[in-house]
Amino acid sequence: MEIMKKEVNTHIMLDIETMGNTSNSAITSIGAVQFNLDTGEIGKTFYTKVDLKSCTDIGLVMNPDTVLWWLKQNEKARLEIADKSVKQLHLAEALQMFKNFINECGGKDSCLIWGNSARFDCGIMADAYNKVNVKIPWDFRNERCVRTLVSFNPEIKEKMSFTGVMHNALDDCIHQIKYCTAIWDSIKQKVETN
């Protein structure tokens, strides 16, 4: 009897900006990029700003230390949160749009979702989905950790120059893809030479 392997055929880099670092943190923006881990090639992208009040209205919280941290960030990053000229979606609408993006990229069973640690990007998003009573659009078995990958060759991340605005969720995704692809390549090279 042959065992069928479940095929996972697309990677999604997820990055969120929040007003805290706990699982019930208010979200200010969601960015995601479909990518090829072997080549760094970028596919579909997703970005939306989230109305902060819609988060606090349903019980998500703002942490004073994180708010103070934001005040120390570059002006473009701070303005990204406060700029009302770009529509800020209600959290439930933003989460539904992200769910649609996952479906467009292959759906729940076909996407590997990359985030910074098991409990930050993926964890906060999962908790937000639960809060608005919408099913999480990815399989928890398909979550991948950027920080774990980085630990295999942290120098690559340290030396990688940043293009765009730091702490813009979409720009952060693209930057993370660049150094994750380079680290993955370095791991493959080590395996091939052994």
Side-chain angles (χ1 to χ4, degrees):
M1 180 170 151
E2 189 175 316
I3 297 174
M4 298 286 292
K5 284 188 176 181
K6 181 169 83 170
E7 275 193 42
V8 178
N9 54 20
T10 193
H11 296 262
I12 305 290
M13 183 64 71
L14 169 66
D15 188 79
I16 60 175
E17 300 304 331
T18 66
M19 284 294 167
N21 58 11
T22 59
S23 65
N24 60 344
S25 294
I27 299 169
T28 61
S29 64
I30 304 167
V33 177
Q34 181 184 33
F35 72 104
N36 182 313
L37 183 61
D38 290 315
T39 65
E41 181 183 1
I42 289 174
K44 297 177 182 182
T45 63
F46 175 87
Y47 178 77
T48 189
K49 292 172 65 169
V50 179
D51 176 60
L52 195 52
K53 188 171 181 333
S54 73
C55 293
T56 58
D57 284 350
I58 62 166
L60 298 179
V61 298
M62 296 174 54
N63 175 287
D65 289 337
T66 304
V67 173
L68 292 172
W69 177 86
W70 272 109
L71 292 174
K72 296 175 188 172
Q73 300 312 303
N74 70 66
E75 184 179 8
K76 286 184 179 179
R78 289 192 321 268
L79 289 175
E80 182 69 18
I81 293 171
D83 182 8
K84 297 287 185 182
S85 68
V86 177
K87 185 177 181 183
Q88 297 178 350
L89 300 181
H90 187 282
L91 177 64
E93 184 181 357
L95 293 174
Q96 184 59 52
M97 286 180 63
F98 182 67
K99 185 174 186 172
N100 295 344
F101 173 77
I102 294 293
N103 288 334
E104 290 170 13
C105 292
K108 178 178 182 170
D109 295 326
S110 297
C111 294
L112 293 175
I113 308 296
W114 288 81
N116 275 303
S117 87
R119 288 303 307 152
F120 196 79
D121 296 302
C122 293
I124 292 172
M125 285 284 284
D127 290 345
Y129 274 105
N130 288 331
K131 198 77 165 165
V132 299
N133 296 313
V134 173
K135 193 170 182 180
I136 298 165
W138 65 86
D139 187 319
F140 72 94
R141 294 172 198 88
N142 291 343
E143 292 178 4
R144 298 295 182 263
C145 181
V146 169
R147 290 181 180 147
T148 301
L149 183 60
V150 168
S151 71
F152 292 105
N153 198 338
E155 298 82 23
I156 290 177
K157 178 185 175 186
E158 292 166 12
K159 293 177 182 177
M160 186 73 59
S161 61
F162 194 97
T163 303
V165 177
M166 281 186 155
H167 309 301
N168 169 288
L170 188 58
D171 290 347
D172 285 354
C173 282
I174 292 168
H175 181 65
Q176 289 163 194
I177 289 167
K178 285 193 312 191
Y179 65 72
C180 283
T181 301
I183 292 167
W184 181 243
D185 190 52
S186 75
I187 292 170
K188 290 189 303 185
Q189 287 176 19
K190 285 180 186 174
V191 169
E192 288 169 3
T193 57
N194 288 334

